[in-house]
């Protein structure tokens, strides 16, 4: 039907109030399953060091003749490892006019922006500390960088063709000075994860978590016989697992299959969480920066490094893709 003449329609009306909701929708993920499940401690220097040691292989032929002289056994020294701290920050600058005007959702307020930045910096930490990154020594004009979890695990697990483990600055000691080299991608299979769990167990580890991307987690859920090797976390205890997880009942203990949005996407890391620690040289702090004209500025910062007490108790399946 035709609109009658002189009808005042909405499209031509000027004196209309806008309807802008005060709620701001932000669904960006903030789960940090790696750094949330490992230990936390303090660092005292920009380069933190620790020692690892091991026992000689078990010897079924350990026998001596009655009355025989005693010979000294071979001794091995402890291995000295280390990692550099990494300083991270987020800076917010908001003009006085922006803060003064009425706005929806408080997005122009300093407190709102600082809360956003605190979530962002935790995501940055998760991506760095669970990744395949080498350490970089602190120097004049050079920012120190922490090695990541994937680079630390050099011994156990498997790699695709052409892949190589990360290297240490002192060959068998020191810090991770080169990240692992990617190999040819291959399908992620249950056989690979069984072998990796056993490798970690053989060395004395007690892994409890398998950290992987969401895509690889979906592949893990299709493993043959998965219904027989999964169990529900009882009652309210499911809430203690950071992020959704299935419990894989292996021959060497229960492993939480934990998806993470911040992994490399090509690694499945079998982790004994008791062997990892995040060491803080400077814990989270907020500082008022010098006022620049008609603007206020604040900085959120943190400085930390990753410690792996002994990489032998963990395993990493590298170069895998969804089957």
């Amino acid at each position: 039907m035709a609109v009658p003449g002189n009808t005042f329609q909405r499209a031509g009306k000027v004196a209309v109030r806008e309807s802008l909701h005060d709620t701001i929708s932000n669904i960006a993920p903030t789960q940090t399953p790696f750094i949330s499940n490992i230990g936390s401690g303090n660092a005292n220097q920009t380069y933190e060091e620790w020692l690892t040691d091991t026992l000689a292989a078990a010897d079924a032929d350990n026998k001596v003749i009655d009355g025989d002289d005693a010979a000294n056994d071979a001794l091995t020294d402890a291995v000295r490892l280390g990692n550099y701290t990494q300083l991270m920050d987020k800076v917010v600058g908001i003009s006085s006019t922006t803060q003064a005007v009425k706005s929806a959702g408080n997005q122009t307020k300093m407190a709102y922006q600082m809360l956003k930045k605190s979530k962002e910096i935790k995501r940055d930490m998760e991506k760095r500390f669970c990744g395949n990154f080498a350490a970089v020594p602190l120097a004049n004009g050079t920012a120190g960088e922490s090695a990541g979890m994937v680079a630390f695990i050099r011994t156990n697990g498997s790699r695709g063709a052409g892949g190589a483990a990360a290297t240490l600055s002192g060959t068998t000691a020191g810090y991770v000075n080169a990240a692992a080299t990617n190999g040819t991608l291959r399908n992620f299979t249950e056989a690979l994860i069984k072998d990796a769990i056993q490798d970690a167990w053989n060395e004395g580890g007690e892994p409890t978590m398998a950290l992987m991307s969401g895509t690889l987690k979906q592949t893990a859920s299709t493993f043959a016989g998965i219904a027989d090797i999964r169990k529900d976390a009882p009652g309210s205890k499911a809430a203690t697992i950071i992020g959704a997880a299935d419990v894989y009942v292996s021959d060497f203990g229960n492993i939480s299959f934990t998806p993470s949005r911040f992994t490399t996407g090509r690694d499945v890391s079998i982790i004994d969480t008791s062997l990892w620690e995040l060491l803080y040289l400077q814990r989270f702090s907020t500082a008022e920066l010098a006022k620049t004209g008609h603007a206020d500025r604040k900085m959120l910062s943190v400085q930390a490094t990753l410690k792996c007490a002994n990489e032998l108790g963990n395993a990493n399946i590298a170069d895998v893709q969804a089957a």
Side-chain angles (χ1 to χ4, degrees):
M1 297 176 60
V3 178
N6 296 323
T7 299
F8 204 169
Q9 293 180 275
R10 168 62 185 86
K13 184 170 174 56
V14 174
V16 175
R17 291 187 182 277
E18 65 179 14
S19 178
L20 178 60
H21 294 202
D22 259 341
T23 302
I24 300 175
S25 177
N26 185 342
I27 63 168
T30 57
Q31 293 91 348
T32 54
F34 179 62
I35 64 174
S36 296
N37 279 282
I38 63 175
S40 173
N42 295 319
N44 297 307
Q45 295 291 345
T46 55
Y47 183 60
E48 285 291 307
E49 294 182 280
W50 57 93
L51 298 172
T52 66
D53 205 351
T54 189
L55 301 177
D59 182 8
D61 291 323
N62 185 346
K63 57 183 182 292
V64 293
I65 299 170
D66 182 28
D68 201 0
D69 193 10
N72 292 335
D73 288 311
L75 300 179
T76 58
D77 201 358
V79 175
R80 188 166 174 165
L81 299 173
N83 200 5
Y84 285 90
T85 59
Q86 184 164 334
L87 178 62
M88 300 179 176
D89 72 20
K90 295 281 185 177
V91 178
V92 174
I94 304 179
S95 74
S96 58
T97 300
T98 300
Q99 296 181 75
V101 298
K102 185 177 181 180
S103 61
N106 291 322
Q107 65 168 334
T108 61
K109 303 301 182 184
M110 182 65 76
Y112 175 85
Q113 293 298 334
M114 289 299 289
L115 178 60
K116 274 184 63 178
K117 295 306 175 187
S118 69
K119 294 177 180 179
E120 290 174 4
I121 206 167
K122 288 178 181 177
R123 286 159 43 112
D124 295 345
M125 294 173 70
E126 178 78 1
K127 192 168 184 67
R128 181 73 196 191
F129 293 127
C130 74
N132 179 26
F133 299 103
V136 175
L138 175 71
N140 290 335
T142 301
E145 297 182 34
S146 171
M149 174 262 293
V150 170
F152 263 115
I153 305 174
R154 306 181 310 280
T155 305
N156 300 324
S158 62
R159 303 182 186 279
T167 59
L168 297 177
S169 59
T171 306
T172 58
Y175 61 90
V176 176
N177 68 343
T181 303
N182 289 336
T184 303
L185 285 171
R186 65 262 170 80
N187 287 343
F188 177 36
T189 66
E190 188 173 0
L192 287 173
I193 205 162
K194 283 186 173 183
D195 288 345
I197 294 171
Q198 183 175 2
D199 287 345
W201 180 84
N202 284 342
E203 297 292 346
E206 297 181 359
T208 56
M209 176 189 292
L211 197 66
M212 64 193 81
S213 69
T215 301
L216 293 174
K217 170 64 169 60
Q218 288 183 315
T219 296
S221 296
T222 66
F223 287 160
I226 190 70
D228 296 327
I229 56 176
R230 287 171 57 188
K231 71 175 184 180
D232 295 328
S236 61
K237 291 186 178 179
T240 63
I241 300 173
I242 308 300
D246 287 327
V247 177
Y248 183 91
V249 183
S250 78
D251 293 321
F252 308 100
N254 297 343
I255 310 292
S256 295
F257 279 3
T258 307
S260 172
R261 297 176 177 91
F262 304 110
T263 63
T264 65
R266 59 186 297 138
D267 293 274
V268 175
S269 301
I270 313 300
I271 303 166
D272 182 339
T273 56
S274 69
L275 297 175
W276 299 87
E277 196 173 6
L278 199 56
L279 303 178
Y280 288 92
L281 184 60
Q282 300 182 68
R283 292 186 179 266
F284 284 94
S285 63
T286 301
E288 298 270 359
L289 299 182
K291 190 177 180 68
T292 55
H294 298 279
D296 295 317
R297 302 173 71 227
K298 282 189 177 182
M299 179 178 68
L300 175 69
S301 64
V302 64
Q303 187 170 5
T305 191
L306 181 64
K307 173 184 175 181
C308 178
N310 199 312
E311 60 96 14
L312 291 175
N314 306 272
N316 190 67
I317 308 166
D319 311 315
V320 285
Q321 62 185 358

